[in-house]
Amino acid sequence: MYRVKNRCRLDDEPRPCDYFHLVGGTSTGGLIALMLGRFRMTATECLDAYSTLAETVFGQRKRRILSSNGIFMATNLVNAVQDLAERRGEPKEARMIPGEDSPACRRY
């Protein structure tokens, strides 16, 4: 995005969602895709938000791991994404997958 900023002679940091039609990822990459696409963050905003989100989501392991349910608490992830949505100006109960008329870019 620094190259885009310099090449286009922009004053502000460009948002990836304004330049890419598709943002995707799995696991933590999916969280980053959500921040860049749905929440329309700049790369710098995303890095800062991800640091906080990762600490909240991955900072505490479950005490008991049952079968293949993972080692982190899913509720921490849900709460962290909902908090992030609220900080970005969306209601807590907003749909995570917007309708076709949404200005956010696609995420897969």
Side-chain angles (χ1 to χ4, degrees):
M1 296 316 300
Y2 290 116
R3 288 182 183 169
V4 170
K5 181 180 177 183
N6 291 334
R7 181 172 292 167
C8 296
R9 296 186 174 112
L10 302 173
D11 293 328
D12 297 321
E13 181 179 355
R15 298 178 187 283
C17 62
D18 293 334
Y19 291 86
F20 297 94
H21 296 288
L22 178 69
V23 178
T26 59
S27 191
T28 57
L31 294 173
I32 292 167
L34 179 71
M35 290 186 275
L36 295 174
R38 169 65 182 205
F39 298 138
R40 301 180 55 81
M41 292 182 173
T42 65
T44 301
E45 290 171 330
C46 184
L47 286 169
D48 292 341
Y50 181 79
S51 295
T52 302
L53 187 131
E55 185 177 315
T56 301
V57 173
F58 305 119
Q60 180 181 2
R61 292 175 182 246
K62 290 181 184 176
R63 293 177 194 233
R64 290 178 48 191
I65 301 172
L66 304 174
S67 67
S68 63
N69 290 334
I71 60 174
F72 300 105
M73 297 181 63
T75 54
N76 288 349
L77 173 61
V78 170
N79 292 336
V81 171
Q82 286 177 339
D83 290 344
L84 183 58
E86 281 187 292
R87 286 196 308 271
R88 299 298 296 181
E90 294 194 27
K92 194 169 192 170
E93 56 279 343
R95 292 179 50 196
M96 283 295 103
I97 301 175
E100 290 299 316
D101 59 342
S102 172
C105 66
R106 298 169 88 85
R107 295 129 339 259
Y108 295 99

